[in-house]
Amino acid sequence: MLSILGLAFFGGLRELALAPWVLLALLSAADLLMSFSRRKQLVFDMRSEIFVGEIQVLKLQVPDAPKDLQARLEWPKGLSGAAEFEFRIGPDGTGSAEIDCRGVRRGIWAFEHLWLHWSSRLKLFDFVPRLDFALEVRVVPNIRLIQSGEIATTVQSTLYGVKENRAIGEGSEFHQLRDFVQGMDVKSIDWKRSAKRRGLVAKELRAERNHHVIVALDNGYLMREEIAGLPKIDHAVTAALAVAWAAAIGGDLVGYYAYDVRPRSFVAPRAGRQTFARLRSWTSELAYVGHETNHTLALTELNARTPKRSLIIIFTDFIDTTSAELLIENIAILSKRHLLIFVTIRDPEVEALVESAPKDLDGVATLVAANQTISERRLVLERLARLGVTVLDARPDTVTAKLISTYLEIKARELI
């Protein structure tokens, strides 16, 4: 501004008016020369696979980094973390940063670019180069419990104990004959063999194995609702994998079924732990869809594909009693042949709304809506329980443990 005024009113002082511009140009040139450096290189390190809902550390390094180096990172939809962060400069001039990376969606996700930012030595310029960042990360269903061995230990100790548990006089699978002694159930006597031996002998039975267990996952739009930072379908997938592993250890055959607006895939029950590997691969590729679930078509199809009595574990959800009417009718038909576990995931935030006192009229309206939601949910679950369905309505952090406990109880009571 002073230069412009000098040129306008003091024509003879043009050289003096241009002096600040010359000085600024010299400072800019000097700043660029002092701040000049080679193109920045990015070194990164991170595991290529993350369990959904868990965190891995993304390590970044930039050699010959300026002191105030910062960065901005665009995260793919399946991963979340800090968008902007700073680098720590080491004694050798290398900038390093560690960012927590959380898996929030199953799938294969790729980083593409990273933007660096730093100021020149004299703070006259800002440098914002874009670096290629070709990192691919696979977010897979969470099998942490399975890898830890906790489920295997629980199932083996509960069903078999230290040695294999053969429930004498109970169960449905023949094991051997033994002499009848006082106190044994008279119904266990094998009268034909007793007549041949001219002495009373009894059948020793043990718990039957090789039951059919089918995991049925509703993948409709209601299962995309986020609870505790993850969609309901991901909480359901984690619990489904855990109970499938428990069933495989328990000697049962495991199958799986997915549906939304129509049946998507069905795999008949198979024995062996290799079935779990196929199930994990299948759930990894289970897409997030926005269709409304057709329970009538899906459960009718499932009933037609499972002629043998099976334990069917249904992971689904509903909004209110009206939308759940068709769901209840079709589950009633399915429960006539099969033993059902109905699994829904409760939202802790809705329960928190009921427990907190409202502060204004908007809070009162929210409280009324939350109470109505919980009441209608309870009515639907009570109707299902009266049909003989085992209902499991649990929070995301407890659904897996409760489901495995329910499965073990059913096995112990020989309900299948």
Side-chain angles (χ1 to χ4, degrees):
M1 180 63 71
L2 293 176
S3 300
I4 296 174
L5 291 175
L7 288 173
F9 298 103
F10 305 100
L13 300 177
R14 289 185 177 183
E15 292 79 3
L16 183 61
L18 292 175
W21 296 99
V22 174
L23 179 60
L24 180 59
L26 292 175
L27 288 174
S28 300
D31 194 12
L32 288 175
L33 290 174
M34 288 189 296
S35 305
F36 176 77
S37 63
R38 291 178 298 177
R39 179 177 175 81
K40 303 301 181 184
Q41 301 295 323
L42 180 65
V43 180
F44 53 86
D45 180 38
M46 182 179 175
R47 288 182 57 183
S48 60
E49 186 174 281
I50 303 178
F51 290 145
V52 64
E54 293 199 349
I55 293 175
Q56 293 292 340
V57 177
L58 171 61
K59 297 180 180 179
L60 301 174
Q61 286 188 340
V62 177
D64 191 22
K67 292 182 179 180
D68 58 345
L69 181 62
Q70 299 177 346
R72 182 170 62 86
L73 181 61
E74 287 190 0
W75 292 85
K77 291 183 179 179
L79 302 167
S80 67
E84 297 182 357
F85 51 90
E86 296 182 357
F87 283 83
R88 297 186 303 274
I89 310 303
D92 59 348
T94 299
S96 60
E98 294 186 355
I99 305 98
D100 288 338
C101 178
R102 186 172 188 265
V104 294
R105 293 288 191 279
R106 285 171 289 104
I108 300 175
W109 310 99
F111 294 93
E112 295 182 354
H113 304 290
L114 175 75
W115 283 264
L116 298 179
H117 174 266
W118 72 91
S119 300
S120 59
R121 293 288 182 88
L122 300 180
K123 310 298 182 183
L124 297 177
F125 298 97
D126 283 339
F127 300 98
V128 190
R130 189 185 74 175
L131 303 183
D132 292 333
F133 187 25
L135 173 62
E136 193 173 80
V137 179
R138 184 180 181 89
V139 181
V140 298
N142 195 331
I143 58 170
R144 179 71 63 193
L145 275 174
I146 297 165
Q147 289 185 339
S148 68
E150 183 178 343
I151 294 177
T153 303
T154 301
V155 173
Q156 290 172 351
S157 61
T158 302
L159 293 182
Y160 310 123
V162 178
K163 296 182 180 180
E164 184 177 354
N165 179 25
R166 303 184 182 98
I168 300 174
E170 299 177 2
S172 56
E173 184 176 298
F174 175 76
H175 175 55
Q176 64 182 10
L177 293 173
R178 59 172 298 180
D179 293 333
F180 181 83
V181 296
Q182 187 175 0
M184 296 179 63
D185 190 352
V186 178
K187 296 179 181 179
S188 65
I189 297 175
D190 188 329
W191 296 105
K192 289 185 178 180
R193 289 182 172 83
S194 296
K196 290 181 180 179
R197 293 186 57 181
R198 297 184 179 181
L200 292 178
V201 292
K203 295 179 181 178
E204 184 176 303
L205 305 176
R206 61 182 178 185
E208 184 182 357
R209 303 183 190 178
N210 300 324
H211 296 298
H212 286 192
V213 178
I214 299 175
V215 176
L217 288 166
D218 173 7
N219 196 30
Y221 79 96
L222 289 179
M223 297 296 285
R224 294 186 62 181
E225 179 188 354
E226 287 197 6
I227 296 180
L230 292 177
K232 288 182 179 179
I233 185 62
D234 283 314
H235 293 298
V237 164
T238 300
L241 288 173
V243 76
W245 182 249
I249 295 173
D252 291 330
L253 286 68
V254 181
Y256 37 96
Y257 178 60
Y259 62 96
D260 44 76
V261 69
R262 62 181 178 84
R264 294 295 177 182
S265 58
F266 176 82
V267 176
R270 300 177 183 177
R273 299 186 183 184
Q274 292 181 351
T275 303
F276 174 80
R278 291 191 289 267
L279 175 59
R280 186 197 176 195
S281 176
W282 172 72
T283 54
S284 298
E285 299 170 359
L286 200 61
Y288 298 94
V289 299
H291 305 299
E292 184 176 1
T293 302
N294 187 335
H295 292 289
T296 301
L297 178 60
L299 297 182
T300 301
E301 177 74 10
L302 178 59
N303 198 25
R305 286 177 173 268
T306 51
K308 181 180 177 180
R309 177 174 169 83
S310 307
L311 172 62
I312 300 178
I313 306 171
I314 300 175
F315 296 85
T316 186
D317 206 349
F318 53 90
I319 298 177
D320 50 33
T321 53
T322 304
S323 62
E325 197 61 39
L326 286 176
L327 172 63
I328 295 172
E329 290 180 5
N330 288 278
I331 284 183
I333 297 173
L334 198 62
S335 63
K336 292 179 181 179
R337 177 188 298 175
H338 306 285
L339 182 64
L340 302 184
I341 301 178
F342 185 88
V343 184
T344 59
I345 299 172
R346 191 188 308 166
D347 191 348
E349 293 184 1
V350 176
E351 296 178 346
L353 290 174
V354 175
E355 295 172 357
S356 59
K359 298 180 180 179
D360 49 27
L361 290 178
D362 290 338
V364 172
T366 302
L367 177 61
V368 171
N371 267 316
Q372 183 177 357
T373 300
I374 293 175
S375 298
E376 293 196 357
R377 188 179 187 85
R378 187 183 298 115
L379 288 174
V380 173
L381 297 180
E382 288 175 353
R383 288 184 62 185
L384 289 172
R386 287 195 294 270
L387 293 174
V389 176
T390 301
V391 175
L392 183 58
D393 183 31
R395 294 175 176 240
D397 56 341
T398 62
V399 63
T400 299
K402 288 185 176 181
L403 180 57
I404 293 176
S405 297
T406 303
Y407 164 74
L408 292 176
E409 183 181 357
I410 289 172
K411 286 278 289 183
R413 294 173 59 189
E414 287 288 312
L415 296 178
I416 306 179

